[in-house]
Amino acid sequence: MEVVLSILGNCCTDEQACIEAVDCKVISPLITILKTIPNPLIQCRACRMLGNLAKSKKASSFLSVHYSAIAPAICHIIESTSAVQTKIMAFRVCRLLLVSPQFYKQFLASNGFLQLMHIFVSVMKNNEAPKASDQNAADVSALVGLKRNQHREKYFEEVARNLEGVRSDIFDYQMLKNSTRNCEYVLPKENDAIELAYEILKCLMLLSAQQIGMRAWEILSRNTSLAPIVYFVKEDSEQRASALKILSNFCKDPYAFYMLSTADSIVAACELLMAVNMTKPLSESESRHCVNIISTLSVDACSRSKIRRCGALRKLVAMIRDSHSQSERSSLFQILNNFQYDNLSMEMLLYEGLVPMLVRELNDYLTSDEEYHKRRREERIQGGKKRKLTDPTTPETLSKFAKSQEPLSSDFDSPSSSPRSYRTTSPCSSRSMSPVCSNLFANDDDENYSPACSDDDDDEDDSKASSGNMDTRESRIATNRAQPANVMDILKLIDEGSETIDDTLSDKEDMDELSSDVPPKLAQLRSQAGDTIDIIENLIYRITLMINKRPELGKPETLDTLIRAINLFGANNNFANALTNILLESQFFAQIIKHGVVHQLYQLTKVEEMRKDGFAFLETLTNVGESNYGKEELVRLLRCETDLNAQQRAAISVAYIIKSHRLLYQFLYDGNALTLLFDLLLRKKSDNLYADEAADAVTAMSRFTLGIVLPKPEQVDSSSSICLSQLNATNMPLHEHCDMRFLLPSENVEGKDGEGRATLSIGFNKQLLCETSEVFNKMLNSDFREGHDGEIQLRDYTANGLRYFLHLIGCQERHLAMPDYGALLQAFEMSRVYIIPELEALLHERLIQFLDSRNCLRLLEWALKNYHAELTETAISYYLCAALPAQDKLQLFRAAEDSVYASEWFQLLNDAVYERCRSTGY
C-alpha cells in the first residue's frame, strides 16, 4: 500500500493525472486510509497524494464534499503521530485546503488551530534556556537592588533609569537598555524540525487571514502562546516577512489582543523598526506590518510603556517626518494619539519635534490641492454644517473654555492677578494628564483613554450626574468624529491587500503554491477610519492641556495654522479649544502680540457665522492683557524703542483687547499708543506694514470699547424716486405759478444783471416762499426787499443746492431725494440762514443718513467753518467708528491730513478718544 500510494502521489503531480485519479474514485478510499490506518509511512504517503490533488484546480473541486471527513482525519494524524515527515505532509494538506472557507470552518471545529499551535510551541521550545527559578532569583535581586555587593555599573544604570520621570528629554532609552529578547523559543537544529516549523508558518499565514472567533482564542490563550511566531521577527530571520504578516493579520482580530501582548510582539516590532545597518532592510510591507502591530497594541498602557522604554518613539516621529504615504502617516499618527494621556511619552514626543510636525501636516491638509485633501476638507465642512443644523441648542460651553466661564471680576493690581488665576479648575487632575470629571471642557470626549489604573476611585457621584447626558454625549461624539470609538474597530477597517511572500522551503512540488496563500477576501486598501485630521486635532488639543507648554505652541506658524483651520471648519471643534488654551497661557502673550494674532482673530468677527467666536477669542486675550503680567508685557513692548514693529503691534493690540477704560487711557496717553496708531494711519510710505491692522484696530476700539456710534436716521421713503426724477429735470419749473426768481452767478450766459455779469435764473412761487420763511417774507414784501421786485440774488450757492432747497419747500411729503452731498449741505445752510427749523432738522437727518467715506471730509470742513458742534462730532465719530474696509479708511484719514483743517481735525480725534476714556474710566 505504501508503494502504491507513493506511485499515485508521483503521478498526481500532473494535472491530467489528478483528473484521471478523481475519475477512478480515489478520494473515498484515500480518506478511509487516513482515518483507519495508523501507520506513519502510509499516512505520510496518503497526505502527500491528497495534497497533490488539492493543488489541482479541477481535482480540488471534488474534495469540497469530503471536507467534513478530511479535516477530523488530518487533525487526528497531526495530534497522534510522532513522525515529523508525516506531520509536514499533514500540514501541507491543511495549507492547501485552508483557502476554502468550508474547510477552514471544519478545521477550527476539529481543534486544528489548537493542535497546530501545540506542535509549533513544542518544536520551537528552547530546552537549553535557563530555569525559571534562576530567572526569578535574578528578577528578585533586581527588584531589591544589590547594595553592598552590587556592581558599580549596575548601580549607576539603576540611578539613570530613575531619571526617566525627571528629565525624559535627556533620558537615552537605547543606551541604558540591557534587557534581552525572550530566549524561551529558538529555531530547532534538525532539518526536519525546521521544515515542520516553516510549514506551520505557512498554515498560520492562511489562518490569520480570517476571523478565528472568541472561543478559539480563549482556548489558545490558556494553552499556547504566540511567542514562537514572534521569534522570527528579527533582523536575520528568513521568515521575518511571513511572521510579521501573520502577527499583523492577527491584529485585525480583537480577540487576539491578549496573546499578542503577552508574546511581546510589540517589542519585537519596535526593535525591528529601530534596527540599523541591516543586511536585508525592511521592505515597505514589512514596515507597514510593524506599524500595524504597534498601532493595535499601543491602546494598552503596559504596551505603551514597552514602546517608550525600548526607545521606539523617536523612530515613530522620524518615520512620520520622512514618510510620503498618507495611509502610513495616518497609522503612525494613530499610534501617537494613543499616547495622549502618557505624560512621559508626550514629553519625549514634544522634545522630538511633535508640534512642528503636527502643524506642518495640518497646514498641508488645509492648503494642499491634492484630491484626497480636497475631498476630506469638503466632507469635514459639510459635517460641520450638518451638526450646526441638527443641534442648534448646543450651549456655548461646548465651544471654548473662555465661553464656559462666568464673567470674571478681578483686581488687576493684586499680586495673584495672572492668567493662571482665571482658571477655576486645572484642566488636568495631575501630571499624568488623565481626564477629570469636570464640565470645563464639555466636548472633551476622547474615548481612547486606557490608563493602567484609574485616577479616581470614588467617582460614583460624578458618574450618576453624567448619566443623564450620556445620550447627547455619545451622539455628539458620533457626529463630531469620523473615526469609530473603538481602536479595534479601526483595525478591522484596515485592509492590507494581498501580497505574495517568498518561501524557498517548500518541497519540490510546491514551487508555485505560495502565490495564493492569502485569499482574495482581503480586498483593496480602504481609507482608514479616524482620519489624520481628527487625530491631529486631538493631539494638538491634548498638547495644549499639558502643564509644561512647549515654546513651539506660541510660534507664528502654529497660531496661523490653527486660525486657518478655524476659518475653514468653524469654532465648534478642538482647534478652537487648543487656540484658546494657547491664548490663555501667559508665556505666549508677547509672541501673540508681536505676531499680530489679535488682528487675525478680529477678522473672524467680520464673518457672520464666526462673529461670536471671534469676540470670545478676543475676550480671552483681554483677560490675559489686563492681568498684571499682560500689562507689564504691553508696557515693555510699547517702550521698546529699538523694535518699532513690536511697538506698533503692541499699540494695535491695546486697541483691540484692552476693555478697561482706565487702563486704555493709560496705554493710549501715557504709553503713547494712540500716537503710534494715528502715525500708522497717516503715514504715506510704501513700507508701511501694519496700516491696515491699525485701521481695523481704531474701528474696533471706537465701536466695541469706547461705544462711539453714529445716530441712526429714518429710512428712505420708497416714493422718493418720484421727487428725484423731478429734481433731475433741470428744465422743469419747480412750481406751477412762478412769480419770483433767484439769480445765481453762472458760466453759461442765460441773462445779465445790471452790472453786466452772467446770471442763472430759477423761478419759484412767491406766496409759498413767504409762508415758509419769515426771512423771505421780509426780503420780498417789506421796505428792506433786495434789488428789483420779486428777485433775490444769491452769490454763495450753486444751482443744484438751490433747486434742492426749493424742491423740499414745495414737496409737502419731504421725500428723501438727494442729488449730491454738496447740494445737501447748501440746502442745510440755507435752511439755517432763512430760519426754517423744520427743514433744518430734516436736512440734518439727511446729512447723517447719506454720510460716507467720500463726503465725510466735506461735512467736517463745513461744520468747522460754520462752528456746528453737533455735525463736527458726527464727522469725528465717523472717522473713528465707521466699519469701512481697511484701505478705504486709510484713504479717508490721509485725505483729511491734506485738508486746511488738518490740525484741528487731528486734535479733535485725540480729544474724542481721551474724553471717552476719561468719562467712564475715572
Side-chain angles (χ1 to χ4, degrees), residues 66-67 69 171-172 213 237 278 358 430 500 592 618 654 736 795:
H66 302 284
Y67 285 158
F171 184 77
D172 194 329
S237 174
M278 287 195 296
L358 290 171
S430 67
T500 60
I592 289 170
L618 292 175
V654 163
E736 296 178 357
R795 293 188 177 87

Side-chain angles (χ1 to χ4, degrees), residues 728-834:
N728 291 336
T730 56
N731 297 326
M732 183 182 296
L734 294 173
H735 197 275
E736 296 178 357
H737 305 288
C738 297
D739 52 1
M740 60 84 59
R741 63 177 182 169
F742 288 90
L743 297 179
L744 303 173
S746 174
E747 296 179 358
N748 299 324
V749 179
E750 185 178 296
K752 294 187 179 181
D753 59 5
E755 299 179 1
R757 290 175 297 189
T759 60
L760 178 65
S761 174
I762 298 177
F764 201 69
N765 184 265
K766 180 178 179 181
Q767 180 181 355
L768 179 59
L769 202 61
C770 294
E771 291 175 355
T772 303
S773 170
E774 185 61 28
V775 176
F776 280 126
N777 185 35
K778 296 292 185 183
M779 292 174 66
L780 294 173
N781 296 324
S782 69
D783 295 337
F784 300 99
R785 61 181 177 270
E786 302 178 0
H788 301 287
D789 188 20
E791 288 186 1
I792 298 178
Q793 294 187 6
L794 301 176
R795 293 188 177 87
D796 298 328
Y797 303 106
T798 63
N800 286 340
L802 179 59
R803 287 180 62 84
Y804 185 56
F805 173 70
L806 297 177
H807 167 76
L808 288 178
I809 293 177
C811 179
Q812 299 299 323
E813 299 296 331
R814 298 288 195 259
H815 291 144
L816 293 175
M818 175 198 162
D820 61 72
Y821 205 79
L824 188 60
L825 267 177
Q826 290 185 3
F828 177 70
E829 182 177 349
M830 283 188 280
S831 67
R832 299 183 67 208
V833 170
Y834 298 113

Side-chain angles (χ1 to χ4, degrees), residues 69-87:
I70 295 175
I74 296 295
C75 291
H76 176 72
I77 293 173
I78 291 173
E79 183 180 11
S80 59
T81 187
S82 59
V84 177
Q85 283 297 328
T86 303
K87 288 182 179 180

Side-chain angles (χ1 to χ4, degrees), residues 625-685:
E626 293 185 349
S627 67
N628 285 340
Y629 177 84
K631 290 186 290 186
E632 291 176 3
E633 281 295 327
L634 287 173
V635 170
R636 182 181 66 83
L637 293 174
L638 286 172
R639 292 178 177 175
C640 184
E641 297 181 358
T642 57
D643 190 351
L644 180 60
N645 291 340
Q647 269 188 319
Q648 293 172 343
R649 279 278 169 75
I652 291 168
S653 300
V654 163
Y656 276 125
I657 66 175
I658 299 300
K659 300 301 179 183
S660 167
H661 287 199
R662 177 176 59 83
L663 284 177
L664 183 61
Y665 180 82
Q666 292 177 352
F667 282 123
L668 294 179
Y669 186 76
D670 299 333
N672 207 33
L674 189 61
T675 302
L676 288 170
L677 284 173
F678 285 154
D679 284 349
L680 284 171
L681 290 172
L682 300 178
R683 190 180 300 141
K684 295 183 180 179
K685 297 181 180 179

